[in-house]
Amino acid sequence: MESFRPGGQQDLAPAGEMAKLRANLAALRTLRQVQAAARPATRQEQAVLARWASWGAVPGVFESRTNHPDYARFAQQRAELRELLSPQEYTAAELTTLNAHYTDAAYVRAIWEAVRELGFDGGAVLEPGCGSGNFIGLAPPHARMVGVELDPVTAGIAAALYPHAEIRTESFADTRAPSGAFDLAVGNVPYADVRLTDRRHNPGRHSIHNHFIIKSLHLTRPGGLVAVLTSRYTLDSANPAARREMAALADLVAAVRLPSGAHQATAGTQAITDLLILRRREPDREPGPIAWEQTRPLDLDTAAELADQVNEYFADRPERVLGEMTLGRGMNPDGELIVRATDNTGEALTGVLRDVVDEARREGLTMRGVGKRAS
C-alpha cells in the first residue's frame, strides 16, 4: 500500500466554496467505494481523496445554517451529503464547521524544513487534530507519524491516503500515550472557545487550542519540539494561565505571526494565527529568558480604549510578524487586530524561519542543545 505524496497545494483542497463542496463530495463518493470493496485506495482514488477540505469553509451546506447566505444555493449538495453520510457521520461533519481549517502546503513545507534544521532527524511524531493529513503527506520519510482526528470520515480519508501512518479516530482529549512518547508534535491545532474534559491534561479547563498544545508538550520528550499553528489568542489572551502552564514545561524557541487571511484560500478563514515552536525542557535545565507570558496594548497612534492587546513577544519582536499590525475600522470591528500582509506569506515565513533556526542554534534551543542553560 503506497502513501500519497502531494506535489503542492494544487494537489490538495481547492480554493472557493463551490470548488470545495464539489471536491468534498467527490472524495466522499470515492471513500465509500474504497470502503465497500474493503481494499486500499488506488493512486487515482488517492488524488481525489487528497482534495478533501472538510466543512470549516462551507458551513452553509448544513441545515443549522438556514441564515447563511449560501444555504439555498447548496440544496443539491446538501441532499447528496445526506445520502453519503450516516446520521451519526452527518452530525460529526456538522461539528467540524467550528474548527476544520486545513493548512496550505507552502506553510506545511516551511514548518517541516524548520524542524529538520532544528535537529529533527527521525522519530515518533504526533499530529493532534490531523484532519486529512497535510502534515503527514509532506513529512520526511524518517518521521513515524501518529495522527489523531475526531471526525470519522476525515480520519478514514487520512488513513486511505497515508496507510504508513497510524490514524486514531478519537477526540484528542481521549488520546492515551505515555509522557514523553514522541520526539516531535506538529500540526495546526483546532481553535475555538470550546473546552474539552481531560482530567489528566486539561484540569485548568483551557480552550481547545491551548489544551492541545499543553497536552502535546506532556506527550513530547524532554529536548523534543512542539511546532504548531494556533489561534493568536494563545499568546494574546489577557489571561496568562495557559501560557504559564506551557512555560513550566517548555521554552519558547520562537513565535511567528501570520497575516489576516493567510488561510483564506485553503481554509476559508480570516483568523490570525501564530506558529509556535516550543522545546520541551529537560528537568535540569534553566528556563529560557524570552518574555511571552504577559500582553500589552498595541502601540499605535490611537485611543487607548481602542487598543487591542498583543503578547509582549511580538511587541518586542515586530520582525516576527509577517505584515503590519493595525486596528480594524469599517468592515472590521473598531479596535480589532488586523495584520496586513506586505509580502508573499509563504516566502516570508520561510525567510523568518531561517532566522529562527540561527537564533535557536545560538541559544542552545535545538533538539541537540541539551546542556544546562547558564543562569
Side-chain angles (χ1 to χ4, degrees):
M1 295 186 292
E2 292 188 15
S3 288
F4 183 74
R5 185 75 178 181
Q9 188 58 41
Q10 70 276 5
D11 295 332
L12 300 171
E17 282 188 326
M18 192 56 73
K20 283 182 169 63
L21 262 176
R22 294 192 185 105
N24 280 355
L25 292 171
L28 271 174
R29 289 191 293 268
T30 300
L31 178 66
R32 291 310 187 218
Q33 292 169 4
V34 170
Q35 291 173 333
R39 58 169 175 77
T42 66
R43 295 294 293 173
Q44 292 78 13
E45 288 169 333
Q46 286 179 328
V48 176
L49 293 170
R51 291 174 64 76
W52 173 257
S54 196
W55 306 106
V58 283
V61 75
F62 293 99
E63 280 87 344
S64 64
R65 301 301 184 98
T66 53
N67 60 345
H68 193 280
D70 288 317
Y71 178 79
R73 187 160 64 95
F74 293 156
Q76 181 179 342
Q77 290 79 13
R78 186 180 307 112
E80 183 173 3
L81 185 60
R82 277 288 192 187
E83 293 179 1
L84 288 166
L85 298 179
S86 70
Q88 294 79 11
E89 289 172 332
Y90 190 90
T91 299
E94 191 165 10
L95 290 174
T96 70
T97 60
L98 293 173
N99 47 39
H101 302 293
Y102 295 170
T103 314
D104 190 286
Y107 309 155
V108 175
R109 281 196 168 119
I111 293 166
W112 270 121
E113 179 61 24
V115 297
R116 284 196 296 261
E117 292 295 316
L118 288 168
F120 176 74
D121 57 5
V125 181
L126 170 68
E127 187 183 358
C130 68
S132 58
N134 291 4
F135 278 89
I136 297 172
L138 292 166
H142 45 278
R144 301 192 304 276
M145 299 297 300
V146 176
V148 180
E149 174 54 44
L150 174 62
D151 177 53
V153 169
T154 303
I157 288 173
L161 286 170
Y162 309 112
H164 71 287
E166 178 186 348
I167 306 298
R168 300 186 181 184
T169 309
E170 61 190 14
S171 167
F172 191 49
D174 298 329
T175 295
R176 295 291 176 263
S179 295
F182 296 94
D183 300 286
L184 170 72
V186 69
N188 185 342
V189 299
Y191 29 94
D193 189 17
V194 172
R195 288 158 177 80
L196 303 182
T197 300
D198 184 345
R199 293 181 180 177
R200 183 175 180 185
H201 291 116
N202 195 28
R205 299 287 293 169
H206 298 300
S207 295
I208 189 170
H209 39 281
N210 293 330
H211 171 202
F212 271 49
I213 296 169
I214 292 167
K215 184 165 184 171
S216 295
L217 285 169
H218 279 286
L219 299 183
T220 300
R221 65 168 175 82
L225 297 177
V226 172
V228 291
L229 288 161
T230 181
S231 163
R232 62 165 281 228
Y233 292 106
T234 291
L235 289 186
D236 286 356
S237 171
N239 184 347
R243 294 191 293 276
R244 286 176 179 164
E245 283 196 40
M246 296 173 202
L249 295 166
D251 293 316
L252 180 65
V253 177
V256 181
R257 176 151 291 176
L258 276 61
S260 307
H263 305 283
Q264 181 62 46
T266 302
T269 178
Q270 286 285 323
I272 298 172
T273 58
D274 295 333
L275 170 62
L276 302 189
I277 304 178
L278 297 152
R279 184 183 183 278
R280 179 72 192 272
R281 191 182 307 116
E282 297 88 349
D284 60 346
R285 186 181 176 92
E286 294 294 326
I290 296 177
W292 57 293
E293 183 177 303
Q294 300 299 328
T295 61
R296 304 176 195 165
L298 187 60
D299 186 14
L300 296 172
D301 293 331
T302 186
E305 65 269 17
L306 293 181
D308 203 342
Q309 296 283 319
V310 297
N311 191 272
E312 57 189 335
Y313 178 90
F314 290 123
D316 293 337
R317 304 292 299 271
E319 74 277 8
R320 295 286 166 83
V321 180
L322 304 186
E324 176 191 3
M325 288 197 291
T326 184
L327 297 177
R329 293 289 190 277
M331 291 182 64
N332 296 95
D334 284 354
E336 180 183 71
L337 181 69
I338 299 171
V339 180
R340 300 191 189 282
T342 54
D343 295 295
N344 177 282
T345 302
E347 293 175 1
L349 178 61
T350 299
V352 167
L353 287 176
R354 292 193 194 102
D355 294 336
V356 165
V357 170
D358 290 342
E359 184 176 287
R361 287 171 176 166
R362 292 193 300 270
E363 295 293 323
L365 287 173
T366 68
M367 293 181 76
R368 301 185 185 97
V370 295
K372 291 185 181 179
R373 179 182 297 280
S375 301

